[in-house]
Amino acid sequence: MKVVFASVLLVCLVLSSSFLEISMAGSDLCDSKCGQRCAKAGVKDRCLKFCGICCEKCKCVPSGTYGNKHECPCYRDLKNSKGKDKCP
């Protein structure tokens, strides 16, 4: 019984570490794309925050530092509570 429990525990640890790596890779992708997107922003920390939120939800960030939102419809269509664009 102890061997079975140890085996199951080991398999769970290996699987959880692989899922963590996958989620971290997605976060790194968003960080780099948002860094490019917000390179010329006046309030860079706020731009990076909202771009990161939009990237995590939509899994894409438009190219360039402004515009090109047609490349990512989800990113383009996210609105804040006042009905304005949420994503920079």
Side-chain angles (χ1 to χ4, degrees):
M1 187 68 179
K2 289 182 182 180
V3 174
V4 172
F5 179 73
S7 298
V8 170
L9 183 61
L10 182 63
V11 169
C12 288
L13 287 173
V14 170
L15 288 175
S16 67
S17 69
S18 65
F19 288 129
L20 181 62
E21 288 178 24
I22 291 169
S23 68
M24 292 298 286
S27 178
D28 290 343
L29 178 68
C30 285
D31 289 346
S32 67
K33 287 192 169 240
C34 287
Q36 293 171 359
R37 182 85 177 160
C38 296
K40 295 182 179 180
V43 186
K44 194 169 186 172
D45 59 335
R46 186 170 62 184
C47 180
L48 289 170
K49 175 185 174 186
F50 287 109
C51 180
I53 290 168
C54 295
C55 179
E56 289 291 324
K57 182 167 182 143
C58 297
K59 307 293 186 234
C60 64
V61 174
S63 61
T65 56
Y66 185 78
N68 301 323
K69 289 187 177 182
H70 63 278
E71 296 174 355
C72 184
C74 171
Y75 191 96
R76 176 193 64 212
D77 296 338
L78 286 178
K79 304 292 183 196
N80 64 16
S81 60
K82 296 178 182 176
K84 297 189 179 195
D85 289 342
K86 182 173 194 160
C87 307

